Amino acid sequence: MTARGQDIVLGVLFAGLGLAAAWQAMGYRGASGTYPLVLGLGLAALGLLLALRSLWSGARVPRPLVDHPRHVAVTVVVGAGYLALVPVLGFYAASALVALVLPAALGFRRPLFALLAAAGFMVVVWLVFTGLLAKPLPTGFWSRW
């Protein structure tokens, strides 16, 4: 498939996913649907922009679907593990673990930088969801202590 075709398909998929998320968020009660609604509409808009830009000026040259299949497979496996760990460990512990494991699994060899980035990311997420939005995220079995 050409680069143009891949970008059009990806843009349409993102737009559809964003619209589906926004539609689902409209069913939430009160203000709890505002955040996912805005994110869904943003994803839909960016997907539509990608598809339209590719439609008008996309490159018609062949492009492989995936440049590094091993990296894609590792990311899918780690992502599935993350989804399985969130209910058990909670959002913060599972996210911190993935933020450390995924870069190492993909070949990133600067552990101090990865640790600082993971800690910084977790602090920002905690400040936004717990502090700003007052929507605490799942804590898993840690909350029983």
Side-chain angles (χ1 to χ4, degrees), residues 64-91:
L65 186 58
V66 176
D67 288 330
H68 302 283
R70 187 188 79 75
H71 288 173
V72 172
V74 167
T75 302
V76 167
V77 168
V78 171
Y82 171 71
L83 292 175
L85 287 176
V86 168
V88 178
L89 297 179
F91 176 83

PDB file of all heavy atoms in Angstrom, residues 64-91:
ATOM      1  N   PRO A  64       6.346   0.293   3.560  1.00  0.00           N
ATOM      2  CA  PRO A  64       5.980  -0.875   4.376  1.00  0.00           C
ATOM      3  C   PRO A  64       5.036  -0.448   5.501  1.00  0.00           C
ATOM      4  O   PRO A  64       5.131   0.660   6.018  1.00  0.00           O
ATOM      5  CB  PRO A  64       7.314  -1.381   4.921  1.00  0.00           C
ATOM      6  CG  PRO A  64       8.248  -0.241   4.803  1.00  0.00           C
ATOM      7  CD  PRO A  64       7.758   0.621   3.667  1.00  0.00           C
ATOM      8  N   LEU A  65       4.145  -1.340   5.855  1.00  0.00           N
ATOM      9  CA  LEU A  65       3.196  -1.033   6.916  1.00  0.00           C
ATOM     10  C   LEU A  65       3.908  -0.849   8.246  1.00  0.00           C
ATOM     11  O   LEU A  65       3.574   0.045   9.035  1.00  0.00           O
ATOM     12  CB  LEU A  65       2.156  -2.152   7.018  1.00  0.00           C
ATOM     13  CG  LEU A  65       1.017  -1.909   7.988  1.00  0.00           C
ATOM     14  CD1 LEU A  65       0.260  -0.633   7.617  1.00  0.00           C
ATOM     15  CD2 LEU A  65       0.076  -3.087   8.003  1.00  0.00           C
ATOM     16  N   VAL A  66       4.915  -1.656   8.511  1.00  0.00           N
ATOM     17  CA  VAL A  66       5.665  -1.591   9.765  1.00  0.00           C
ATOM     18  C   VAL A  66       7.150  -1.669   9.447  1.00  0.00           C
ATOM     19  O   VAL A  66       7.593  -2.569   8.727  1.00  0.00           O
ATOM     20  CB  VAL A  66       5.261  -2.765  10.685  1.00  0.00           C
ATOM     21  CG1 VAL A  66       6.084  -2.774  11.950  1.00  0.00           C
ATOM     22  CG2 VAL A  66       3.789  -2.714  11.012  1.00  0.00           C
ATOM     23  N   ASP A  67       7.916  -0.733   9.995  1.00  0.00           N
ATOM     24  CA  ASP A  67       9.363  -0.753   9.781  1.00  0.00           C
ATOM     25  C   ASP A  67      10.070  -1.747  10.703  1.00  0.00           C
ATOM     26  O   ASP A  67      11.073  -2.337  10.332  1.00  0.00           O
ATOM     27  CB  ASP A  67       9.955   0.638   9.999  1.00  0.00           C
ATOM     28  CG  ASP A  67       9.600   1.601   8.878  1.00  0.00           C
ATOM     29  OD1 ASP A  67       9.431   1.135   7.730  1.00  0.00           O
ATOM     30  OD2 ASP A  67       9.463   2.804   9.151  1.00  0.00           O
ATOM     31  N   HIS A  68       9.562  -1.902  11.922  1.00  0.00           N
ATOM     32  CA  HIS A  68      10.190  -2.778  12.910  1.00  0.00           C
ATOM     33  C   HIS A  68       9.132  -3.684  13.545  1.00  0.00           C
ATOM     34  O   HIS A  68       8.602  -3.374  14.614  1.00  0.00           O
ATOM     35  CB  HIS A  68      10.884  -1.949  13.989  1.00  0.00           C
ATOM     36  CG  HIS A  68      11.923  -1.018  13.452  1.00  0.00           C
ATOM     37  ND1 HIS A  68      13.163  -1.458  13.064  1.00  0.00           N
ATOM     38  CD2 HIS A  68      11.896   0.310  13.199  1.00  0.00           C
ATOM     39  CE1 HIS A  68      13.860  -0.435  12.619  1.00  0.00           C
ATOM     40  NE2 HIS A  68      13.116   0.647  12.675  1.00  0.00           N
ATOM     41  N   PRO A  69       8.822  -4.812  12.908  1.00  0.00           N
ATOM     42  CA  PRO A  69       7.763  -5.691  13.420  1.00  0.00           C
ATOM     43  C   PRO A  69       8.006  -6.179  14.853  1.00  0.00           C
ATOM     44  O   PRO A  69       7.079  -6.322  15.635  1.00  0.00           O
ATOM     45  CB  PRO A  69       7.759  -6.865  12.453  1.00  0.00           C
ATOM     46  CG  PRO A  69       8.469  -6.399  11.244  1.00  0.00           C
ATOM     47  CD  PRO A  69       9.391  -5.301  11.670  1.00  0.00           C
ATOM     48  N   ARG A  70       9.269  -6.410  15.213  1.00  0.00           N
ATOM     49  CA  ARG A  70       9.573  -6.862  16.578  1.00  0.00           C
ATOM     50  C   ARG A  70       9.166  -5.806  17.594  1.00  0.00           C
ATOM     51  O   ARG A  70       8.593  -6.119  18.638  1.00  0.00           O
ATOM     52  CB  ARG A  70      11.057  -7.185  16.726  1.00  0.00           C
ATOM     53  CG  ARG A  70      11.393  -7.826  18.083  1.00  0.00           C
ATOM     54  CD  ARG A  70      12.876  -7.970  18.325  1.00  0.00           C
ATOM     55  NE  ARG A  70      13.519  -6.748  18.731  1.00  0.00           N
ATOM     56  CZ  ARG A  70      13.419  -6.208  19.966  1.00  0.00           C
ATOM     57  NH1 ARG A  70      12.676  -6.770  20.874  1.00  0.00           N
ATOM     58  NH2 ARG A  70      14.055  -5.090  20.254  1.00  0.00           N
ATOM     59  N   HIS A  71       9.409  -4.547  17.299  1.00  0.00           N
ATOM     60  CA  HIS A  71       9.026  -3.476  18.211  1.00  0.00           C
ATOM     61  C   HIS A  71       7.508  -3.391  18.370  1.00  0.00           C
ATOM     62  O   HIS A  71       7.001  -3.142  19.467  1.00  0.00           O
ATOM     63  CB  HIS A  71       9.574  -2.133  17.731  1.00  0.00           C
ATOM     64  CG  HIS A  71      11.046  -2.003  17.911  1.00  0.00           C
ATOM     65  ND1 HIS A  71      11.757  -0.930  17.423  1.00  0.00           N
ATOM     66  CD2 HIS A  71      11.963  -2.794  18.516  1.00  0.00           C
ATOM     67  CE1 HIS A  71      13.035  -1.065  17.724  1.00  0.00           C
ATOM     68  NE2 HIS A  71      13.181  -2.200  18.383  1.00  0.00           N
ATOM     69  N   VAL A  72       6.802  -3.602  17.281  1.00  0.00           N
ATOM     70  CA  VAL A  72       5.339  -3.591  17.348  1.00  0.00           C
ATOM     71  C   VAL A  72       4.852  -4.738  18.230  1.00  0.00           C
ATOM     72  O   VAL A  72       3.987  -4.557  19.094  1.00  0.00           O
ATOM     73  CB  VAL A  72       4.714  -3.671  15.939  1.00  0.00           C
ATOM     74  CG1 VAL A  72       3.213  -3.844  16.014  1.00  0.00           C
ATOM     75  CG2 VAL A  72       5.069  -2.428  15.136  1.00  0.00           C
ATOM     76  N   ALA A  73       5.416  -5.918  18.041  1.00  0.00           N
ATOM     77  CA  ALA A  73       5.009  -7.084  18.828  1.00  0.00           C
ATOM     78  C   ALA A  73       5.306  -6.867  20.313  1.00  0.00           C
ATOM     79  O   ALA A  73       4.461  -7.162  21.176  1.00  0.00           O
ATOM     80  CB  ALA A  73       5.712  -8.346  18.312  1.00  0.00           C
ATOM     81  N   VAL A  74       6.488  -6.349  20.629  1.00  0.00           N
ATOM     82  CA  VAL A  74       6.849  -6.081  22.026  1.00  0.00           C
ATOM     83  C   VAL A  74       5.889  -5.064  22.636  1.00  0.00           C
ATOM     84  O   VAL A  74       5.416  -5.236  23.768  1.00  0.00           O
ATOM     85  CB  VAL A  74       8.312  -5.584  22.129  1.00  0.00           C
ATOM     86  CG1 VAL A  74       8.608  -4.996  23.496  1.00  0.00           C
ATOM     87  CG2 VAL A  74       9.274  -6.718  21.824  1.00  0.00           C
ATOM     88  N   THR A  75       5.556  -4.026  21.896  1.00  0.00           N
ATOM     89  CA  THR A  75       4.653  -2.998  22.400  1.00  0.00           C
ATOM     90  C   THR A  75       3.255  -3.556  22.644  1.00  0.00           C
ATOM     91  O   THR A  75       2.618  -3.232  23.653  1.00  0.00           O
ATOM     92  CB  THR A  75       4.601  -1.811  21.416  1.00  0.00           C
ATOM     93  OG1 THR A  75       5.932  -1.306  21.245  1.00  0.00           O
ATOM     94  CG2 THR A  75       3.709  -0.703  21.926  1.00  0.00           C
ATOM     95  N   VAL A  76       2.780  -4.406  21.753  1.00  0.00           N
ATOM     96  CA  VAL A  76       1.450  -5.015  21.933  1.00  0.00           C
ATOM     97  C   VAL A  76       1.442  -5.912  23.169  1.00  0.00           C
ATOM     98  O   VAL A  76       0.505  -5.872  23.976  1.00  0.00           O
ATOM     99  CB  VAL A  76       1.037  -5.791  20.663  1.00  0.00           C
ATOM    100  CG1 VAL A  76      -0.171  -6.673  20.926  1.00  0.00           C
ATOM    101  CG2 VAL A  76       0.753  -4.823  19.532  1.00  0.00           C
ATOM    102  N   VAL A  77       2.478  -6.712  23.352  1.00  0.00           N
ATOM    103  CA  VAL A  77       2.552  -7.606  24.512  1.00  0.00           C
ATOM    104  C   VAL A  77       2.627  -6.804  25.811  1.00  0.00           C
ATOM    105  O   VAL A  77       1.910  -7.096  26.779  1.00  0.00           O
ATOM    106  CB  VAL A  77       3.746  -8.580  24.384  1.00  0.00           C
ATOM    107  CG1 VAL A  77       4.024  -9.310  25.684  1.00  0.00           C
ATOM    108  CG2 VAL A  77       3.493  -9.569  23.264  1.00  0.00           C
ATOM    109  N   VAL A  78       3.470  -5.781  25.843  1.00  0.00           N
ATOM    110  CA  VAL A  78       3.575  -4.950  27.054  1.00  0.00           C
ATOM    111  C   VAL A  78       2.262  -4.208  27.301  1.00  0.00           C
ATOM    112  O   VAL A  78       1.814  -4.089  28.446  1.00  0.00           O
ATOM    113  CB  VAL A  78       4.774  -3.972  26.949  1.00  0.00           C
ATOM    114  CG1 VAL A  78       4.765  -2.967  28.080  1.00  0.00           C
ATOM    115  CG2 VAL A  78       6.084  -4.750  26.955  1.00  0.00           C
ATOM    116  N   GLY A  79       1.620  -3.734  26.239  1.00  0.00           N
ATOM    117  CA  GLY A  79       0.329  -3.062  26.393  1.00  0.00           C
ATOM    118  C   GLY A  79      -0.738  -3.986  26.949  1.00  0.00           C
ATOM    119  O   GLY A  79      -1.538  -3.601  27.814  1.00  0.00           O
ATOM    120  N   ALA A  80      -0.769  -5.229  26.492  1.00  0.00           N
ATOM    121  CA  ALA A  80      -1.727  -6.205  27.022  1.00  0.00           C
ATOM    122  C   ALA A  80      -1.427  -6.497  28.489  1.00  0.00           C
ATOM    123  O   ALA A  80      -2.349  -6.601  29.314  1.00  0.00           O
ATOM    124  CB  ALA A  80      -1.681  -7.487  26.196  1.00  0.00           C
ATOM    125  N   GLY A  81      -0.150  -6.599  28.818  1.00  0.00           N
ATOM    126  CA  GLY A  81       0.226  -6.798  30.218  1.00  0.00           C
ATOM    127  C   GLY A  81      -0.192  -5.624  31.084  1.00  0.00           C
ATOM    128  O   GLY A  81      -0.660  -5.799  32.213  1.00  0.00           O
ATOM    129  N   TYR A  82      -0.065  -4.425  30.549  1.00  0.00           N
ATOM    130  CA  TYR A  82      -0.483  -3.221  31.268  1.00  0.00           C
ATOM    131  C   TYR A  82      -1.984  -3.258  31.562  1.00  0.00           C
ATOM    132  O   TYR A  82      -2.410  -3.003  32.689  1.00  0.00           O
ATOM    133  CB  TYR A  82      -0.126  -1.992  30.442  1.00  0.00           C
ATOM    134  CG  TYR A  82      -0.695  -0.704  30.975  1.00  0.00           C
ATOM    135  CD1 TYR A  82      -0.195  -0.146  32.133  1.00  0.00           C
ATOM    136  CD2 TYR A  82      -1.722  -0.044  30.311  1.00  0.00           C
ATOM    137  CE1 TYR A  82      -0.712   1.044  32.629  1.00  0.00           C
ATOM    138  CE2 TYR A  82      -2.244   1.142  30.787  1.00  0.00           C
ATOM    139  CZ  TYR A  82      -1.730   1.685  31.954  1.00  0.00           C
ATOM    140  OH  TYR A  82      -2.243   2.848  32.445  1.00  0.00           O
ATOM    141  N   LEU A  83      -2.778  -3.594  30.553  1.00  0.00           N
ATOM    142  CA  LEU A  83      -4.224  -3.675  30.748  1.00  0.00           C
ATOM    143  C   LEU A  83      -4.586  -4.718  31.798  1.00  0.00           C
ATOM    144  O   LEU A  83      -5.545  -4.537  32.559  1.00  0.00           O
ATOM    145  CB  LEU A  83      -4.926  -3.975  29.429  1.00  0.00           C
ATOM    146  CG  LEU A  83      -4.877  -2.857  28.390  1.00  0.00           C
ATOM    147  CD1 LEU A  83      -5.510  -3.322  27.084  1.00  0.00           C
ATOM    148  CD2 LEU A  83      -5.553  -1.598  28.894  1.00  0.00           C
ATOM    149  N   ALA A  84      -3.833  -5.816  31.857  1.00  0.00           N
ATOM    150  CA  ALA A  84      -4.096  -6.848  32.851  1.00  0.00           C
ATOM    151  C   ALA A  84      -3.653  -6.403  34.249  1.00  0.00           C
ATOM    152  O   ALA A  84      -4.252  -6.814  35.246  1.00  0.00           O
ATOM    153  CB  ALA A  84      -3.382  -8.138  32.461  1.00  0.00           C
ATOM    154  N   LEU A  85      -2.633  -5.564  34.333  1.00  0.00           N
ATOM    155  CA  LEU A  85      -2.099  -5.158  35.633  1.00  0.00           C
ATOM    156  C   LEU A  85      -2.832  -3.989  36.277  1.00  0.00           C
ATOM    157  O   LEU A  85      -2.792  -3.843  37.498  1.00  0.00           O
ATOM    158  CB  LEU A  85      -0.617  -4.796  35.496  1.00  0.00           C
ATOM    159  CG  LEU A  85       0.334  -5.957  35.308  1.00  0.00           C
ATOM    160  CD1 LEU A  85       1.754  -5.455  35.085  1.00  0.00           C
ATOM    161  CD2 LEU A  85       0.283  -6.888  36.512  1.00  0.00           C
ATOM    162  N   VAL A  86      -3.487  -3.141  35.497  1.00  0.00           N
ATOM    163  CA  VAL A  86      -4.153  -1.973  36.078  1.00  0.00           C
ATOM    164  C   VAL A  86      -5.173  -2.357  37.151  1.00  0.00           C
ATOM    165  O   VAL A  86      -5.159  -1.770  38.237  1.00  0.00           O
ATOM    166  CB  VAL A  86      -4.784  -1.074  34.984  1.00  0.00           C
ATOM    167  CG1 VAL A  86      -5.714  -0.040  35.600  1.00  0.00           C
ATOM    168  CG2 VAL A  86      -3.701  -0.378  34.190  1.00  0.00           C
ATOM    169  N   PRO A  87      -6.046  -3.348  36.930  1.00  0.00           N
ATOM    170  CA  PRO A  87      -6.994  -3.692  37.999  1.00  0.00           C
ATOM    171  C   PRO A  87      -6.319  -4.254  39.251  1.00  0.00           C
ATOM    172  O   PRO A  87      -6.834  -4.121  40.352  1.00  0.00           O
ATOM    173  CB  PRO A  87      -7.902  -4.755  37.372  1.00  0.00           C
ATOM    174  CG  PRO A  87      -7.708  -4.631  35.909  1.00  0.00           C
ATOM    175  CD  PRO A  87      -6.330  -4.102  35.703  1.00  0.00           C
ATOM    176  N   VAL A  88      -5.168  -4.881  39.088  1.00  0.00           N
ATOM    177  CA  VAL A  88      -4.478  -5.511  40.211  1.00  0.00           C
ATOM    178  C   VAL A  88      -3.591  -4.510  40.953  1.00  0.00           C
ATOM    179  O   VAL A  88      -3.699  -4.334  42.167  1.00  0.00           O
ATOM    180  CB  VAL A  88      -3.623  -6.701  39.719  1.00  0.00           C
ATOM    181  CG1 VAL A  88      -2.853  -7.336  40.862  1.00  0.00           C
ATOM    182  CG2 VAL A  88      -4.496  -7.720  39.022  1.00  0.00           C
ATOM    183  N   LEU A  89      -2.702  -3.849  40.210  1.00  0.00           N
ATOM    184  CA  LEU A  89      -1.749  -2.930  40.825  1.00  0.00           C
ATOM    185  C   LEU A  89      -2.279  -1.510  40.963  1.00  0.00           C
ATOM    186  O   LEU A  89      -1.742  -0.723  41.731  1.00  0.00           O
ATOM    187  CB  LEU A  89      -0.457  -2.874  39.994  1.00  0.00           C
ATOM    188  CG  LEU A  89       0.339  -4.163  39.866  1.00  0.00           C
ATOM    189  CD1 LEU A  89       1.565  -3.930  38.997  1.00  0.00           C
ATOM    190  CD2 LEU A  89       0.733  -4.687  41.231  1.00  0.00           C
ATOM    191  N   GLY A  90      -3.285  -1.167  40.183  1.00  0.00           N
ATOM    192  CA  GLY A  90      -3.764   0.199  40.144  1.00  0.00           C
ATOM    193  C   GLY A  90      -3.105   0.947  38.994  1.00  0.00           C
ATOM    194  O   GLY A  90      -2.099   0.506  38.420  1.00  0.00           O
ATOM    195  N   PHE A  91      -3.681   2.097  38.657  1.00  0.00           N
ATOM    196  CA  PHE A  91      -3.204   2.852  37.508  1.00  0.00           C
ATOM    197  C   PHE A  91      -1.773   3.335  37.693  1.00  0.00           C
ATOM    198  O   PHE A  91      -0.941   3.204  36.799  1.00  0.00           O
ATOM    199  CB  PHE A  91      -4.125   4.044  37.241  1.00  0.00           C
ATOM    200  CG  PHE A  91      -3.636   4.919  36.129  1.00  0.00           C
ATOM    201  CD1 PHE A  91      -3.899   4.586  34.821  1.00  0.00           C
ATOM    202  CD2 PHE A  91      -2.882   6.050  36.401  1.00  0.00           C
ATOM    203  CE1 PHE A  91      -3.426   5.373  33.786  1.00  0.00           C
ATOM    204  CE2 PHE A  91      -2.409   6.844  35.366  1.00  0.00           C
ATOM    205  CZ  PHE A  91      -2.685   6.504  34.057  1.00  0.00           C
TER     206      PHE A  91
END
